[in-house]
Amino acid sequence: MWIVPEAAIADLITPEASFQAVESVFAAMASGEAYNFPVVREAIGHEDALYGFKGGFDRSGMALGLKAGGYWPHNLEKRGIINHQSTVFLFDPDTGKVAAMVGGNLLTALRTAAASSVSIKHLAREDSKVLGMIGAGHQSHFQLRAAARQRQFEKVVGWNYHPEMLPKLAETAAGIGLPFEAVTLEDLGAQADVIVTITSAFAPSLTAAHVKPGTHLACMGTDTKGKQEVEAALVARATVFTDEVAQSVSIGETQHAVSDGSLKAAEITQIGAVINGTHPGRTAADEITLFDGTGVGLQDLAVASTVVEIAVETGVAVEVEF
Ligand code: NAD
């Protein structure tokens, strides 16, 4: 089996390669070539940790495996390591033998940023000029950089529940040559053509009244029952797309609109259908489109497979008899 350690990943995978891997696997999910297994997520009763598995099989990319890991809230303060910890395991679909073990921490950020970026490519107006960011935590920097690759943005406007975190996001914008302005939610909605939300909120901040016609939203933070970033009325007003419908209605941003009856699961489209050309995606310049990115195991397998290929080619992967 091959081992690709966490520390090696940053030098191996490019944002383009992550994007390609995620776009392909979303397409395979929509055409029925790839499917995710039921997610396991458990509070293990030790260190307040949440631990689980996300797995699947992609027949088109021949990726089989799982991401194991979760959230250890005391890691940083007690041990100086990050709270989110994960590892991807890939298996040979022909034999069931383990094929690779790959560090999953950076890959999680890259595949999540690639997902919203795929949605922007396929759903945002071509003439989008202003990128709105809601959230300024760990993931937001990856999200900003990936989103900026998809349109000729001239400016970034940002809002965060903890405003003291915004200057760091402004530095990330400056790093790719984009001016950044910290704004109110009203200003953000009035200016932004594309809005990425990436917070751990359990109550909505952005409302339907904030957002102008023609906006594309990528709601990326809600991945658990009870979390919520935008008002349910905004979800109900938008044309809604997601990575996987079952996950979107149970743990994603659409859970609230579905449970209050303002959106039906049948009205939600897998983004892969747009990639494959079986759904038209945006059909009018004044349409509000919303992508609910809940994060599926197949995304992890896709980027991990890409990393293993590159790591083997470049001699970085460590081979172990197993
Ligand atoms: P982080 O802890 O680094 O940042 C948290 C962000 O949420 C910050 O912007 C913070 O100000 C904001 N926030 C905290 N409490 C809030 C509140 N009460 N109201 C509004 N905002 C609040 O976390 P991160 O690593 O950047 O992750 C952000 C979110 O993305 C988390 O919910 C995480 O579970 C989720 N996530 C989703 C995926 C996916 O595939 N969809 C992947 C990774 C992470």
Side-chain angles (χ1 to χ4, degrees):
M1 71 180 284
W2 296 104
I3 297 179
V4 187
E6 182 68 44
I9 310 269
D11 291 334
L12 292 173
I13 191 157
T14 60
E16 293 88 350
S18 308
F19 182 96
Q20 289 301 333
V22 170
E23 188 181 47
S24 301
V25 84
F26 281 165
M29 281 164 60
S31 64
E33 286 284 284
Y35 73 107
N36 292 288
F37 305 155
V39 174
V40 173
R41 199 164 160 88
E42 294 285 321
I44 59 170
H46 177 71
E47 290 284 340
D48 300 321
L50 279 177
Y51 174 72
F53 317 108
K54 279 186 169 183
F57 178 43
D58 175 7
R59 190 179 295 277
S60 62
M62 277 292 146
L64 172 69
L66 58 90
K67 178 168 81 170
Y71 189 70
W72 272 257
H74 312 303
N75 271 0
L76 194 59
E77 89 206 32
K78 276 190 177 173
R79 302 180 182 86
I81 57 172
I82 64 170
N83 294 346
H84 284 278
Q85 291 292 334
S86 64
T87 307
V88 181
F89 295 88
L90 298 172
F91 295 82
D92 180 345
D94 296 332
T95 62
K97 273 190 66 128
V98 65
M101 180 170 106
V102 186
N105 296 347
L106 177 61
L107 286 184
T108 298
L110 292 173
R111 64 76 146 148
T112 307
S116 59
S117 175
V118 166
S119 85
I120 294 167
K121 172 181 168 188
H122 291 281
L123 296 169
R125 290 186 348 263
E126 286 297 336
D127 63 351
S128 297
K129 294 282 180 245
V130 178
L131 172 63
M133 293 294 307
I134 296 182
H138 180 70
Q139 306 289 335
S140 67
H141 303 270
F142 295 91
Q143 292 286 329
L144 193 162
R145 284 192 290 262
R149 305 177 75 86
Q150 294 307 323
R151 292 293 183 269
Q152 298 292 315
F153 290 113
E154 293 170 357
K155 165 166 125 172
V156 182
V157 290
W159 180 89
N160 194 41
Y161 186 74
H162 302 103
E164 68 278 9
M165 295 168 81
L166 286 169
K168 207 165 163 223
L169 194 59
E171 280 173 29
T172 296
I176 52 171
L178 284 172
F180 183 95
E181 202 185 318
V183 294
T184 62
L185 281 168
E186 287 74 16
D187 272 352
L188 187 141
Q191 291 194 54
D193 303 301
V194 171
I195 300 174
V196 176
T197 64
I198 184 73
T199 70
S200 49
F202 279 82
S205 48
L206 196 70
T207 67
H210 287 141
V211 172
K212 65 181 181 181
T215 302
H216 171 64
L217 295 115
C219 298
M220 304 304 297
T222 297
D223 56 359
T224 304
K225 199 168 169 49
K227 282 189 184 174
Q228 185 173 11
E229 299 192 280
V230 308
E231 191 185 30
L234 172 54
V235 177
R237 182 171 148 202
T239 310
V240 181
F241 302 83
T242 189
D243 40 27
E244 188 185 87
V245 176
Q247 219 167 264
S248 171
V249 301
S250 53
I251 59 167
E253 193 61 43
T254 72
Q255 61 181 287
H256 309 284
V258 168
S259 68
D260 76 15
S262 56
L263 180 75
K264 293 185 182 56
E267 294 169 320
I268 305 172
T269 304
Q270 269 189 295
I271 186 84
V274 183
I275 299 166
N276 290 336
T278 56
H279 186 284
R282 166 181 293 279
T283 54
D286 62 356
E287 187 176 3
I288 294 175
T289 51
L290 185 149
F291 172 69
D292 180 14
T294 65
V296 294
L298 283 169
Q299 285 169 255
D300 298 298
L301 305 188
V303 289
S305 301
T306 301
V307 155
V308 172
E309 249 172 59
I310 302 169
V312 170
E313 264 168 33
T314 54
V316 172
V318 179
E319 192 169 19
V320 174
E321 273 310 317
F322 190 80

